[in-house]
Amino acid sequence: MSALRELKPQILSEGHDLHICDADVALIREHLPANGTIDQDDLMVLTEIRSEAYSSCAAFDELFFPAFKAYLLADGTISHHEQFLLLRMLYGGGGVDDTERRFLVELRNEVTVLTPEFEDLCRLALTTS
């Protein structure tokens, strides 16, 4: 189990603090492997944290989005399962924000195999809020 799973309640205290701040990012980094790689379990927890938070600081986005992109693009295409994770991240917080839109555009530009399903996902997410 991810060490971040145990940390999640400290970062997101319902009714108290649903913002991911720089101190939270420092705490997260302490619980990640020293080599800087983020495995799938940790990435899933980070996705949950971002989706459940009302807002996040730039430092969290700088940690999260490159790791999420590397995971999604590892094989050059975005599978149905990965599209589900992407949708969960995009709409988990209620709507697609500007940072998520920029991320989606970058992702679409870097994917090597653009499936019709992923193109539809992008079109919908980029035209609605």
Side-chain angles (χ1 to χ4, degrees):
M1 174 166 68
S2 168
L4 294 181
R5 175 84 44 213
E6 297 172 12
L7 186 64
K8 182 180 166 186
Q10 290 177 301
I11 294 171
L12 298 176
S13 302
E14 187 65 46
H16 173 66
D17 175 22
L18 292 174
H19 170 73
I20 305 168
C21 66
D22 290 331
D24 294 328
V25 175
L27 192 57
I28 289 168
R29 287 186 187 279
E30 288 176 18
H31 288 80
L32 292 174
N35 65 6
T37 60
I38 298 176
D39 67 22
Q40 182 176 350
D41 289 339
D42 286 338
L43 186 62
M44 294 308 107
V45 175
L46 290 175
T47 302
E48 291 171 16
I49 290 171
R50 188 170 196 292
S51 295
E52 294 172 23
Y54 290 148
S55 60
S56 61
C57 66
F60 182 79
D61 290 346
E62 290 167 7
L63 168 73
F64 175 74
F65 284 111
F68 196 40
K69 185 191 311 181
Y71 172 77
L72 294 173
L73 295 178
D75 64 356
T77 188
I78 300 181
S79 70
H80 291 288
H81 171 71
E82 291 166 341
Q83 287 179 48
F84 172 76
L85 296 175
L86 185 57
L87 284 167
R88 185 173 177 192
M89 187 274 299
L90 291 170
Y91 293 102
V96 183
D97 64 32
D98 290 339
T99 304
E100 293 164 340
R101 280 187 188 86
R102 283 191 299 275
F103 172 71
L104 194 55
V105 169
E106 285 178 22
L107 194 59
R108 185 174 62 185
N109 289 337
E110 294 180 33
V111 68
T112 55
V113 178
L114 186 61
T115 65
E117 296 86 3
F118 180 63
E119 183 59 35
D120 288 344
L121 181 156
C122 291
R123 188 172 25 280
L124 179 65
L126 293 172
T127 59
T128 60
S129 44

